[in-house]
Amino acid sequence: DFLGAYQAAAAGERHGLDPDLLHSVIRAESAGNPRAVSPKGAAGLMQLMPETARGLNVADVFDAAQNVDGGARYLRHLLALYNNDMTLALAAYNAGPEKVAAYRGLPPYRETRDYVSRVLRDFHRKKTSTSQRQ
């Protein structure tokens, strides 16, 4: 998972995002596999859908640097859209902003709720272990 952590650190610095958050998304999305492809067609470390990748000008979703940079830009956009509400931004990352809008909050999908919980749990675990080391 070194590749994901390395790309998360670089993209986090570039886009003003916590690298631990990006790394937690990568772990939940692809388990650090840059060649991962979901049954729905999402691909790469941050599992970008083809239309999302195109919109972010990610030419090669399997290029770890491009994928994580695009995913970081998308997550930054979602955080801005939802006033830095990580739960809603992560729900939109997983299910799409249109689903968050339709349900006026966290969609009632088990997959989305489990995803948000998994990412936040991993992120908070990283933050707790970092603060205990300081």
Side-chain angles (χ1 to χ4, degrees):
D1 205 17
F2 171 77
L3 181 62
Y6 175 78
Q7 294 302 336
E13 189 171 315
R14 236 182 346 271
H15 300 293
L17 289 169
D18 189 318
D20 287 335
L21 177 60
L22 290 174
H23 193 231
S24 293
V25 169
I26 290 168
R27 286 175 57 110
E29 289 288 348
S30 67
N33 177 1
R35 309 276 326 152
V37 179
S38 80
K40 294 181 181 173
L45 284 171
M46 292 192 73
Q47 291 290 281
L48 300 177
M49 291 296 285
E51 61 274 14
T52 303
R54 273 192 300 280
L56 294 164
N57 295 316
V58 174
D60 180 359
V61 291
F62 298 115
D63 177 279
Q66 286 185 48
N67 186 286
V68 176
D69 188 76
R73 283 184 283 123
Y74 186 50
L75 188 55
R76 162 62 47 225
H77 163 76
L78 294 171
L79 284 163
L81 186 64
Y82 300 110
N83 298 309
N84 289 319
D85 183 320
M86 278 207 284
T87 297
L88 292 180
L90 291 168
Y93 193 94
N94 178 263
E98 61 286 342
K99 297 295 185 193
V100 172
Y103 289 100
R104 295 189 179 134
L106 187 61
Y109 310 132
R110 178 186 303 252
E111 176 196 333
T112 300
R113 290 174 180 261
D114 289 350
Y115 171 83
V116 170
S117 294
R118 196 166 56 251
V119 172
L120 290 177
R121 191 171 43 250
D122 189 66
F123 175 64
H124 291 305
R125 184 183 49 75
K126 285 176 171 46
K127 292 289 123 197
T128 302
S129 67
T130 300
S131 67
Q132 288 174 350
R133 277 181 277 168
Q134 294 174 349

